[in-house]
Amino acid sequence: MSLHHEPDATRGALPRRRGRNLAEGLTEDLGGKIREGQLQPGDKLPTESAIMQAYGVSRTVVREALSRLQAAGLVETHHGIGTFVLQPRGSGMAGMFRLEAADIATTADVLAVLELRISLETESAGLAALRRTEEQLLGMRGALDEFERNVRTAGDTVSPDFRFHLLIAQATGNPYFADIMTHLGATIIPRTRLHSIRSQDRGEYLSRVNREHEEILSAIARRDPDSARAAMRIHLTNSRERLRVAREEAQREGGQAGQSA
């Protein structure tokens, strides 16, 4: 069954809850339809407006839910085309991105840095779209090309990842954005801080990260500040969500181990 063709089936599906709980409920409902096969790989989801009408929720709730589904690897958004269902892989994010219990405390610090980055880099992406030069755009393109090459060869992806984000900060034309990024350094990339991350499929995980980068670059290249802000927010929110779910999984595993000891 395709939600796109049968929106009436979803009406009133969510209990009357507020704020973040509504986003969680929508994520669970759409995620359940994907895992149960009601939404098939390759299906295109309805527009944000159609989902808002079907579920009786705000645009903010819909965007938060779609961001969570992207982070879980259940959907993928292509700018100007739509959001499409992907083939589910086991238990979603937990299967792609896992932590050892020893990293739980460090994860809290990384999540805090990601909150800062969402505020800082969302606006820097919008300004970069308005002010970037062709030379800066070429630099961003080169960073992502290097990232993709290194994914294929199991090489260093942290350096081109950080360089891409730093170039965006520099392209704002406001030196304070770049100063903050330079001060934070490459440790802002979560995978540099968590040495015991277990990635069951490193290549797929990193390729997904770089597809999010490509959406940011595309908006900056088009000089579309609103889309650049949205793409950066989605990228960093996805990073935060992937890490949050991995942390919860590690906490559950630690609790179960303690009970069995």
Side-chain angles (χ1 to χ4, degrees), residues 76-84 211 214-216 218-219 222 224 226-228 230-231 234:
E76 186 169 66
T77 297
H78 298 275
H79 181 80
I81 302 175
T83 299
F84 297 85
R211 286 195 295 272
E214 291 286 355
E215 292 290 335
I216 299 167
S218 176
R222 297 194 309 273
D224 183 343
D226 290 339
S227 293
I234 286 171

Side-chain angles (χ1 to χ4, degrees), residues 225-247:
D226 290 339
S227 293
R229 290 187 186 97
M232 181 64 83
R233 178 172 289 277
I234 286 171
H235 170 53
L236 295 176
T237 299
N238 283 352
S239 293
R240 183 184 63 186
E241 190 68 10
R242 283 186 282 261
L243 193 56
R244 183 189 66 79
V245 171
R247 182 173 187 253

Side-chain angles (χ1 to χ4, degrees), residues 71-72 89 91-100 103 107 110-111 114 189-202 205-206 208-209 238-250 253:
R89 292 180 58 89
S91 57
M93 277 178 284
M96 283 288 292
F97 190 22
R98 296 169 66 94
L99 303 174
E100 301 291 356
D103 269 329
T107 306
V110 177
L111 286 168
L114 279 167
I189 309 301
R191 57 190 181 275
T192 67
R193 303 283 301 281
L194 303 164
H195 301 297
S196 60
I197 285 177
R198 292 171 284 159
S199 179
Q200 293 185 5
D201 192 337
R202 176 184 182 276
Y205 164 70
L206 291 174
R208 182 179 301 154
V209 169
N238 283 352
S239 293
R240 183 184 63 186
E241 190 68 10
R242 283 186 282 261
L243 193 56
R244 183 189 66 79
V245 171
R247 182 173 187 253
E248 289 178 357
E249 180 69 15
E253 289 180 357

Side-chain angles (χ1 to χ4, degrees), residues 23 45 102 104 153 179 205 251-252:
L45 293 186
I104 291 175
T153 61
D179 285 349
Y205 164 70
Q251 288 173 324
R252 283 195 296 270

Side-chain angles (χ1 to χ4, degrees), residues 50-250:
I51 297 176
M52 289 165 57
Q53 182 178 5
Y55 285 90
V57 296
S58 69
R59 190 175 301 277
T60 299
V61 168
V62 172
R63 288 181 175 175
E64 175 72 13
L66 292 179
S67 178
R68 289 171 175 231
L69 291 170
Q70 286 187 76
L74 294 176
V75 302
E76 186 169 66
T77 297
H78 298 275
H79 181 80
I81 302 175
T83 299
F84 297 85
V85 176
L86 298 175
Q87 180 68 46
R89 292 180 58 89
S91 57
M93 277 178 284
M96 283 288 292
F97 190 22
R98 296 169 66 94
L99 303 174
E100 301 291 356
D103 269 329
I104 291 175
T106 306
T107 306
D109 181 53
V110 177
L111 286 168
V113 172
L114 279 167
E115 286 185 356
L116 171 65
R117 291 182 62 197
I118 289 170
S119 299
L120 175 73
E121 294 191 67
T122 295
E123 184 57 26
S124 72
L127 292 174
L130 294 172
R131 301 173 181 174
R132 56 85 179 165
T133 65
E134 289 300 317
E135 182 179 2
Q136 288 166 333
L137 190 65
L138 286 173
M140 295 175 209
R141 175 73 271 160
L144 296 194
D145 288 345
E146 181 182 346
F147 187 110
E148 190 61 35
R149 283 195 305 272
N150 290 352
V151 170
R152 293 194 300 269
T153 61
D156 169 35
T157 57
V158 170
S159 296
D161 193 333
F162 176 68
R163 189 165 73 253
F164 174 69
H165 286 275
L166 179 60
L167 282 165
I168 291 173
Q170 292 171 343
T172 65
N174 181 331
Y176 293 106
F177 281 98
D179 285 349
I180 292 172
M181 292 293 290
T182 301
H183 175 73
L184 291 172
T187 57
I188 65 171
I189 309 301
R191 57 190 181 275
T192 67
R193 303 283 301 281
L194 303 164
H195 301 297
S196 60
I197 285 177
R198 292 171 284 159
S199 179
Q200 293 185 5
D201 192 337
R202 176 184 182 276
E204 181 174 338
Y205 164 70
L206 291 174
S207 291
R208 182 179 301 154
V209 169
N210 213 33
R211 286 195 295 272
E212 295 170 6
H213 288 156
E214 291 286 355
E215 292 290 335
I216 299 167
L217 179 62
S218 176
I220 292 174
R222 297 194 309 273
R223 298 190 185 277
D224 183 343
D226 290 339
S227 293
R229 290 187 186 97
M232 181 64 83
R233 178 172 289 277
I234 286 171
H235 170 53
L236 295 176
T237 299
N238 283 352
S239 293
R240 183 184 63 186
E241 190 68 10
R242 283 186 282 261
L243 193 56
R244 183 189 66 79
V245 171
R247 182 173 187 253
E248 289 178 357
E249 180 69 15

